[in-house]
Amino acid sequence: MIAAVRKARRLQGDIRVPGDKSISHRALILGSIADGDSHFRGLSTGADVMSTAGCMRALGVEITDSSVHGVGMEGLRHPSEPLDCGNSGTTMRLLAGLLAAQPFSTELRGDESLSKRPMDRVVTPLREMGADARWPPLIVGGQVPLHGIEYVMPVASAQVKSAILIAGLYATGTTTVIEPVMTRDHTELMLQAMWPKADGDYTKFQVHEIRRLEPLDIDIPGDLSAASFWLVAGALIPGSQIRVLGVGANATRTAIIEVMRSAGLNIGASNTRNVAREKVADLSAFPVKEMSAIQVNSDTAALAIDELPIIAVAATQLPGLSRITGARELRVKESDRIAAMAEGLSAMGADITAIDDGWEIRGPRQLEGAHVRSHKDHRIAMALAVAGLLADGVTEIQDAECVDISYPGFFDQLESLC
Ligand code: S3P
């Protein structure tokens, strides 16, 4: 599908975005191995989370729209076929951790994009824990019990951290993960809610072998990574009034807000509360007059990794040289996001140079509508759609249906805000 996006005069509305994708994956996986039924309101309906639900069903877990019938830590069934993780790196990496600790062997497969993404980063620590883990293709499990390790992670990755912690629930002794820089901590918070003895803070977290996780009953907050597209658009398009209700505002996810504020784009939070240990708020974007260029380094890049494409769009509108660095990980996401954004924004007239680990972007530039490629990557499609709202003329986005990976209904919501 080709989506056509026209320049917006202003954006207006109070909206909700899909449930947080990262929390939804964890809810389905950890809920599946809890003792009893978990209830989740607001789970993401995106294709990635559906991939996780499909895999858990293939492992013998009953899942409906909002509840998971947990089978206990020892209750997963050997799947009759390889598991299909679709486009979802989070599904593949988190399940690699869970399944490495099972007494049976499982193969995990993905689509063309996922099949090319690095899995050695999860295979290496799982092997250190004594697991049978091989890649490619990714095959894990059948050699138990695992033993706890202290793992100093070479790459900042919440997915790898989570895989090790989930495997650690089944391992003898203690499993400790030490991160080079902080990444999202949804696994740690959920584990603490299900089993209060999980322990740690900031970049060091520990789990011990356990027999039982308590089921959960939680509201999943809206996804800040999805909300960011509207917040950036609302802050850049004069006269806009956008409020996104009930968005996850966990401190390991809000770097986008700090980056925007440092550039003079104001994102305000109100009605802040805690829901199941996760901070939640209503977020509003305010257009401003005094703007400046953005500087992102590796610490911020890790905390805003999924928002960097939309930050690049914002940088095209800011005066001066914005430098986004320390983000080499973008090269191995659903697409090479450094190359994909440089290609799309260049076609729209931006002054953007791809560097090894990010971009240099000189602004402000009036963008022009163009035919651009999403590279079948949901975040590229949505970031270029926001660029289209800022650009003169019409922007056509190729393979735009990929937004369904995290945000079914994205283009309908865009229409309703204009
Ligand atoms: C995620 C972690 C991040 C992020 C991805 C979701 C998670 O990936 O890019 O969209 O839910 O743990 P990495 O851990 O590979 O950086």
Side-chain angles (χ1 to χ4, degrees):
M1 158 192 152
I2 293 178
V5 178
R6 285 173 185 77
K7 184 173 177 130
R9 261 179 300 145
R10 63 182 183 143
L11 299 181
Q12 200 164 20
D14 279 2
I15 56 166
R16 288 188 186 274
V17 292
D20 187 275
K21 183 160 85 73
S22 292
I23 298 178
S24 297
H25 284 295
R26 288 154 173 83
L28 291 176
I29 294 171
L30 294 177
S32 291
I33 54 167
D35 268 26
D37 291 354
S38 289
H39 302 283
F40 303 114
R41 288 161 298 279
L43 275 174
S44 166
T45 53
D48 267 9
V49 171
M50 293 303 110
S51 291
T52 291
C55 291
M56 298 321 301
R57 288 194 185 103
L59 290 159
V61 182
E62 224 176 278
I63 296 176
T64 66
D65 285 350
S66 61
S67 58
V68 176
H69 184 64
V71 295
M73 292 195 58
E74 312 292 333
L76 296 176
R77 188 181 70 196
H78 186 192
S80 50
E81 292 177 358
L83 297 183
D84 180 6
C85 303
N87 188 245
S88 175
T90 311
T91 306
M92 188 173 268
R93 296 204 177 105
L94 268 59
L95 286 186
L98 174 65
L99 296 172
Q102 305 303 316
F104 50 81
S105 170
T106 309
E107 181 175 340
L108 294 139
R109 289 192 186 160
D111 69 4
E112 200 188 329
S113 149
L114 183 54
S115 304
K116 288 191 212 131
R117 294 180 65 186
M119 294 297 148
D120 42 347
R121 54 182 61 190
V122 70
V123 162
T124 302
L126 292 172
R127 288 171 81 130
E128 272 187 41
M129 296 176 83
D132 185 2
R134 285 167 274 154
W135 172 78
L138 186 61
I139 300 174
V140 295
Q143 193 169 287
V144 290
L146 309 186
H147 54 82
I149 56 169
E150 177 167 303
Y151 192 67
V152 181
M153 296 191 23
V155 190
S157 165
Q159 294 175 353
V160 176
K161 169 177 67 174
S162 301
I164 301 169
L165 292 176
I166 295 170
L169 299 175
Y170 291 85
T172 56
T174 302
T175 300
T176 307
V177 183
I178 300 167
E179 307 187 86
V181 295
M182 197 160 54
T183 64
R184 66 193 69 194
D185 65 355
H186 305 298
T187 303
E188 295 92 309
L189 294 181
M190 201 172 282
L191 279 176
Q192 282 173 326
M194 301 174 87
W195 175 57
K197 277 196 238 158
D199 188 23
D201 55 10
Y202 303 108
T203 52
K204 182 169 176 173
F205 199 84
Q206 279 186 342
V207 295
H208 312 279
E209 183 184 15
I210 56 164
R211 299 262 168 263
R212 181 187 151 81
L213 289 172
E214 294 294 331
L216 290 169
D217 187 336
I218 57 173
D219 293 305
I220 311 273
D223 197 323
L224 178 56
S225 301
S228 297
F229 297 107
W230 310 127
L231 294 169
V232 169
L236 289 171
I237 299 171
S240 295
Q241 270 186 319
I242 292 271
R243 199 156 58 126
V244 193
L245 304 172
V247 185
N250 175 316
T252 61
R253 295 284 294 281
T254 49
I256 169 82
I257 297 178
E258 301 315 317
V259 171
M260 290 298 118
R261 283 185 185 150
S262 73
L265 303 177
N266 208 356
I267 295 175
S270 60
N271 193 16
T272 304
R273 63 249 187 222
N274 268 304
V275 178
R277 293 171 194 243
E278 293 279 358
K279 195 166 152 191
V280 179
D282 299 338
L283 300 177
S284 317
F286 304 101
V288 283
K289 293 195 180 75
E290 285 288 310
M291 299 194 282
S292 57
I294 284 170
Q295 308 302 324
V296 169
N297 61 20
S298 55
D299 283 4
T300 312
L303 290 171
I305 193 74
D306 291 340
E307 292 71 64
L308 295 177
I310 189 64
I311 288 174
V313 173
T316 67
Q317 304 305 301
L318 303 172
L321 177 65
S322 290
R323 291 192 85 244
I324 296 150
T325 60
R328 197 172 287 109
E329 273 297 294
L330 289 180
R331 298 251 181 223
V332 290
K333 292 291 180 189
E334 287 84 329
S335 69
D336 175 344
R337 288 182 175 163
I338 293 179
M341 286 308 294
E343 176 192 287
L345 289 175
S346 292
M348 297 177 77
D351 181 349
I352 176 168
T353 307
I355 54 175
D356 178 41
D357 62 346
W359 305 280
E360 289 179 348
I361 302 169
R362 206 173 280 281
R365 276 291 178 106
Q366 177 55 50
L367 300 177
E368 304 287 337
H371 185 94
V372 291
R373 296 195 296 162
S374 67
H375 293 260
K376 301 187 179 163
D377 180 331
H378 55 131
R379 298 204 198 278
I380 301 299
M382 292 187 278
L384 292 175
V386 172
L389 293 173
L390 299 164
D392 285 337
V394 181
T395 301
E396 288 179 340
I397 301 154
Q398 205 174 305
D399 297 317
E401 66 283 353
C402 63
V403 299
D404 290 350
I405 290 291
S406 62
Y407 203 152
F410 173 84
F411 287 103
D412 293 337
Q413 199 134 43
L414 185 150
E415 288 288 315
S416 76
L417 287 169
C418 285

